[in-house]
Amino acid sequence: QTSLCDLPTLLLAFRHRAARLLVVVAQQINDDVMGGKSMQHAWNDALIAMARASRAYSIFLVIRDFCHGIQEEERTNLGPNEVEVMLDLAKLFALYWIEKDLGEFLEDGYLTSKQAKWVSPSVLQYLDKIRPNAVALVDARDISDFRLKSALGRFDGDVYPHIMKAAEKDPLNAVDPGPGYDPALK
């Protein structure tokens, strides 16, 4: 289970999936053309497989660039504690996508059913590891409450009075009961 949560191992799994799905697209187009379909028809029939391959490759690139970004920032801006949190976040991201798309990792036997059973508990493990740093990770982006247009996650922690104030300002709440009450509920 520990090796499954190793970033190089996760990266190899995503690279393998992206490459395999690309081969599936090429094989489908080739089989269709050899079966007598025009190239345009074969291409159109492979669009769903292309979308799967494209998404798989995009996720691989995000994880790869996430890892490279952490390495780059480690040299210049991040301390060891921040690096550890970011690496845990990268692992959580990768494990989340394996869990979400598990069938694509099992189709050709890249992951065994035994390894697949480790994925969900690993996601939960990394959620627990990230939880103490969740607020700091969100706040690190320094997006203001005004820009978020939300009373949730307020810098002062005074969420509920601000939610009530926001609700009172909404035109639908100007009269009690609201304007939709009579026609809809009577």
Side-chain angles (χ1 to χ4, degrees):
Q1 184 174 1
T2 306
S3 66
L4 178 66
C5 297
D6 181 49
L7 272 174
T9 302
L10 290 166
L11 200 55
L12 285 173
F14 281 94
R15 186 175 73 183
H16 171 82
R17 177 181 71 152
R20 183 183 62 77
L21 290 175
L22 190 58
V23 168
V24 167
V25 169
Q27 189 63 51
Q28 180 180 341
I29 291 172
N30 189 51
D31 290 349
D32 285 352
V33 169
M34 292 300 169
K37 289 184 180 179
S38 70
M39 183 61 182
Q40 182 179 1
H41 195 146
W43 184 271
N44 287 342
D45 286 351
L47 287 174
I48 291 173
M50 286 180 202
R52 284 179 63 202
S54 175
R55 191 168 72 77
Y57 187 65
S58 296
I59 293 169
F60 163 71
L61 290 177
V62 168
I63 295 168
R64 185 196 68 186
D65 291 349
F66 195 170
C67 294
H68 289 169
I70 293 168
Q71 290 170 352
E72 183 69 29
E73 290 299 315
E74 182 178 18
R75 286 187 227 123
T76 57
N77 297 323
L78 297 179
N81 293 336
E82 290 88 358
V83 168
E84 183 180 347
V85 170
M86 295 305 291
L87 290 173
D88 287 344
L89 193 60
K91 292 173 189 176
L92 175 61
F93 181 81
L95 288 164
Y96 165 82
W97 280 104
I98 288 178
E99 183 179 42
K100 189 168 177 2
D101 298 333
L102 192 56
E104 291 180 354
F105 293 93
L106 290 167
E107 271 179 341
D108 70 339
Y110 189 81
L111 286 183
T112 66
S113 61
K114 183 178 178 182
Q115 289 170 319
K117 290 177 186 174
W118 295 338
V119 175
S120 288
S122 296
V123 168
L124 294 175
Q125 172 192 342
Y126 278 95
L127 282 170
D128 283 343
K129 281 185 85 173
I130 293 292
R131 187 170 287 115
N133 298 299
V135 171
L137 286 166
V138 173
D139 286 349
R141 300 287 301 154
D142 198 25
I143 301 172
S144 70
D145 295 336
F146 175 78
R147 193 161 156 219
L148 288 173
K149 296 181 182 146
S150 172
L152 296 176
R154 289 188 52 87
F155 72 95
D156 60 6
D158 205 11
V159 174
Y160 299 107
H162 292 284
I163 289 175
M164 290 304 295
K165 284 180 187 174
E168 288 167 0
K169 289 179 186 176
D170 192 306
L172 289 175
N173 295 328
V175 293
D176 190 24
Y181 177 79
D182 287 334
L185 299 176
K186 278 193 174 182

PDB file of all heavy atoms in Angstrom, residues 165-174:
ATOM      1  N   LYS A 165     -27.361  38.210   7.311  1.00  0.00           N
ATOM      2  CA  LYS A 165     -27.401  39.553   6.714  1.00  0.00           C
ATOM      3  C   LYS A 165     -27.502  39.460   5.192  1.00  0.00           C
ATOM      4  O   LYS A 165     -28.250  40.205   4.565  1.00  0.00           O
ATOM      5  CB  LYS A 165     -26.156  40.360   7.109  1.00  0.00           C
ATOM      6  CG  LYS A 165     -26.193  40.885   8.520  1.00  0.00           C
ATOM      7  CD  LYS A 165     -24.924  41.665   8.820  1.00  0.00           C
ATOM      8  CE  LYS A 165     -24.867  42.050  10.289  1.00  0.00           C
ATOM      9  NZ  LYS A 165     -23.594  42.689  10.635  1.00  0.00           N
ATOM     10  N   ALA A 166     -26.730  38.533   4.608  1.00  0.00           N
ATOM     11  CA  ALA A 166     -26.769  38.358   3.153  1.00  0.00           C
ATOM     12  C   ALA A 166     -28.149  37.889   2.709  1.00  0.00           C
ATOM     13  O   ALA A 166     -28.674  38.339   1.687  1.00  0.00           O
ATOM     14  CB  ALA A 166     -25.687  37.370   2.710  1.00  0.00           C
ATOM     15  N   ALA A 167     -28.761  36.975   3.475  1.00  0.00           N
ATOM     16  CA  ALA A 167     -30.095  36.478   3.125  1.00  0.00           C
ATOM     17  C   ALA A 167     -31.138  37.586   3.233  1.00  0.00           C
ATOM     18  O   ALA A 167     -32.057  37.670   2.414  1.00  0.00           O
ATOM     19  CB  ALA A 167     -30.466  35.308   4.029  1.00  0.00           C
ATOM     20  N   GLU A 168     -31.005  38.451   4.240  1.00  0.00           N
ATOM     21  CA  GLU A 168     -31.963  39.550   4.418  1.00  0.00           C
ATOM     22  C   GLU A 168     -31.886  40.557   3.272  1.00  0.00           C
ATOM     23  O   GLU A 168     -32.881  41.187   2.928  1.00  0.00           O
ATOM     24  CB  GLU A 168     -31.712  40.257   5.751  1.00  0.00           C
ATOM     25  CG  GLU A 168     -32.120  39.428   6.955  1.00  0.00           C
ATOM     26  CD  GLU A 168     -31.598  39.986   8.271  1.00  0.00           C
ATOM     27  OE1 GLU A 168     -30.898  41.035   8.263  1.00  0.00           O
ATOM     28  OE2 GLU A 168     -31.878  39.373   9.312  1.00  0.00           O
ATOM     29  N   LYS A 169     -30.717  40.714   2.664  1.00  0.00           N
ATOM     30  CA  LYS A 169     -30.540  41.659   1.562  1.00  0.00           C
ATOM     31  C   LYS A 169     -31.135  41.145   0.251  1.00  0.00           C
ATOM     32  O   LYS A 169     -31.395  41.915  -0.664  1.00  0.00           O
ATOM     33  CB  LYS A 169     -29.054  41.954   1.342  1.00  0.00           C
ATOM     34  CG  LYS A 169     -28.423  42.780   2.428  1.00  0.00           C
ATOM     35  CD  LYS A 169     -26.952  42.990   2.118  1.00  0.00           C
ATOM     36  CE  LYS A 169     -26.243  43.697   3.249  1.00  0.00           C
ATOM     37  NZ  LYS A 169     -24.798  43.814   2.978  1.00  0.00           N
ATOM     38  N   ASP A 170     -31.333  39.829   0.141  1.00  0.00           N
ATOM     39  CA  ASP A 170     -31.844  39.239  -1.084  1.00  0.00           C
ATOM     40  C   ASP A 170     -33.271  39.723  -1.325  1.00  0.00           C
ATOM     41  O   ASP A 170     -34.122  39.647  -0.435  1.00  0.00           O
ATOM     42  CB  ASP A 170     -31.825  37.712  -0.987  1.00  0.00           C
ATOM     43  CG  ASP A 170     -32.069  37.057  -2.320  1.00  0.00           C
ATOM     44  OD1 ASP A 170     -33.098  37.375  -2.961  1.00  0.00           O
ATOM     45  OD2 ASP A 170     -31.239  36.233  -2.733  1.00  0.00           O
ATOM     46  N   PRO A 171     -33.582  40.222  -2.527  1.00  0.00           N
ATOM     47  CA  PRO A 171     -34.927  40.736  -2.823  1.00  0.00           C
ATOM     48  C   PRO A 171     -36.042  39.703  -2.598  1.00  0.00           C
ATOM     49  O   PRO A 171     -37.166  40.067  -2.262  1.00  0.00           O
ATOM     50  CB  PRO A 171     -34.861  41.144  -4.293  1.00  0.00           C
ATOM     51  CG  PRO A 171     -33.415  41.281  -4.600  1.00  0.00           C
ATOM     52  CD  PRO A 171     -32.670  40.403  -3.655  1.00  0.00           C
ATOM     53  N   LEU A 172     -35.753  38.447  -2.769  1.00  0.00           N
ATOM     54  CA  LEU A 172     -36.774  37.421  -2.554  1.00  0.00           C
ATOM     55  C   LEU A 172     -37.200  37.350  -1.096  1.00  0.00           C
ATOM     56  O   LEU A 172     -38.277  36.840  -0.779  1.00  0.00           O
ATOM     57  CB  LEU A 172     -36.262  36.052  -3.014  1.00  0.00           C
ATOM     58  CG  LEU A 172     -36.116  35.862  -4.520  1.00  0.00           C
ATOM     59  CD1 LEU A 172     -35.500  34.513  -4.828  1.00  0.00           C
ATOM     60  CD2 LEU A 172     -37.470  35.995  -5.202  1.00  0.00           C
ATOM     61  N   ASN A 173     -36.353  37.831  -0.196  1.00  0.00           N
ATOM     62  CA  ASN A 173     -36.665  37.781   1.228  1.00  0.00           C
ATOM     63  C   ASN A 173     -37.210  39.116   1.749  1.00  0.00           C
ATOM     64  O   ASN A 173     -37.310  39.311   2.951  1.00  0.00           O
ATOM     65  CB  ASN A 173     -35.420  37.376   2.020  1.00  0.00           C
ATOM     66  CG  ASN A 173     -34.986  35.974   1.693  1.00  0.00           C
ATOM     67  OD1 ASN A 173     -35.814  35.125   1.401  1.00  0.00           O
ATOM     68  ND2 ASN A 173     -33.691  35.727   1.730  1.00  0.00           N
ATOM     69  N   ALA A 174     -37.587  40.029   0.860  1.00  0.00           N
ATOM     70  CA  ALA A 174     -38.060  41.349   1.267  1.00  0.00           C
ATOM     71  C   ALA A 174     -39.422  41.274   1.955  1.00  0.00           C
ATOM     72  O   ALA A 174     -39.725  42.084   2.817  1.00  0.00           O
ATOM     73  CB  ALA A 174     -38.121  42.291   0.070  1.00  0.00           C
TER      74      ALA A 174
END
